[in-house]
Amino acid sequence: MTAAQRRRLTAVFAAAGISLGAAACSSAPSIGTTTGTGLSYDRVRSTALDLVKNKSTDCPFGLDFAKAAAAAGIGGTVAPAVTDGHSVTGNAGDGVPAAPWPSGVTHPPTMTEMPATPPSADITCSYRLGGSTVEVDLLATSRNDAAVSLALPMIQRNGRLSVDQLTRFAQNRPAVGRTTLASDGGTVAVARIALKGEGDLMLLLSEAPDSQVVNGELAGEPLRRAAEALAGQVH
């Protein structure tokens, strides 16, 4: 990546920070509707913290990738991708205070610092599908409309998106209750799920970035349908 591309990528992430509280645009392609849940941010965080201490092979909140894949018409045998006795991991962050803008990033004159990052929690469930490793990632934040912005680096990495593709996705992120591909025909699907109370929750479905086999079925509309089915399972 060139220095100019790095600056553009940094600007995308910075712009996402500016728009943490902005309304999501609903004009992105390949979008479906997802129902809400009774899940709260606190429950996601407590579950993630429990997974830090205790190994598990059971994806929480009713998530079942095998059923979602079958419903989306994705073939192949699904099994947990077990490593060191677990296929589900969790993590939680306490947030980051406002900080100076990185050098070279354009920002509104009235915004003298990058916005603070809210507390968050994430859970990853890993599966094997044929020779591929598939990840179902849940990211919850304590602030409304913030999860997708925090997930942009992961979306860019897992989807191998160009700066232009990531920019378009950031500008057309799905609204709560919607599921979309990060790029046309892409290999990352993102669903935003309603939480009970304050906070924001998103689900990301993709092959693991280090997967040794690229599964052609895990792309485009079948991938989006599988993510939509997963989002509908959450309870």
Side-chain angles (χ1 to χ4, degrees):
M1 182 181 290
T2 67
Q5 287 174 322
R6 283 195 294 271
R7 286 195 296 271
R8 289 178 62 201
L9 190 57
T10 301
V12 173
F13 297 149
I18 293 172
S19 63
L20 282 177
C25 176
S26 60
S27 61
S30 301
I31 295 178
T33 301
T34 301
T35 58
T37 74
L39 195 63
S40 68
Y41 167 74
D42 287 342
R43 186 177 164 212
V44 177
R45 185 177 178 88
S46 64
T47 301
L49 289 172
D50 182 70
L51 288 166
V52 173
K53 297 181 292 183
N54 300 304
K55 295 180 179 180
S56 177
T57 56
D58 295 323
C59 202
F61 314 131
L63 288 169
D64 187 329
F65 175 64
K67 288 183 178 179
I74 297 173
T77 301
V78 175
V82 180
T83 302
D84 191 28
H86 65 88
S87 60
V88 184
T89 58
N91 196 13
D94 295 327
V96 178
W101 290 98
S103 177
V105 174
T106 301
H107 60 85
T110 56
M111 188 172 287
T112 58
E113 293 182 306
M114 290 187 65
T117 301
S120 62
D122 61 89
I123 296 169
T124 300
C125 303
S126 300
Y127 298 90
R128 298 292 294 172
L129 177 62
S132 302
T133 302
V134 182
E135 290 183 346
V136 178
D137 293 290
L138 285 173
L139 175 62
T141 65
S142 61
R143 185 191 303 172
N144 293 342
D145 235 357
V148 173
S149 294
L150 293 185
L152 286 178
M154 179 170 59
I155 292 169
Q156 192 272 337
R157 181 187 68 245
N158 288 22
R160 302 172 179 84
L161 300 184
S162 68
V163 176
D164 287 340
Q165 287 174 317
L166 186 66
T167 300
R168 284 193 293 272
F169 174 76
Q171 293 171 342
N172 296 282
R173 65 188 65 196
V176 174
R178 308 284 273 179
T179 304
T180 184
L181 297 171
S183 61
D184 289 333
T187 56
V188 172
V190 176
R192 292 188 64 198
I193 304 169
L195 282 178
K196 179 181 179 181
E198 292 295 311
D200 192 22
L201 176 64
M202 60 148 282
L203 181 149
L204 186 150
L205 176 63
S206 67
E207 281 194 82
D210 58 352
S211 182
Q212 299 301 306
V213 177
V214 176
N215 188 325
E217 288 189 279
L218 295 171
E221 183 61 14
L223 183 72
R224 190 202 64 76
R225 289 199 304 267
E228 186 175 67
L230 282 165
Q233 293 171 354
V234 173
H235 62 268

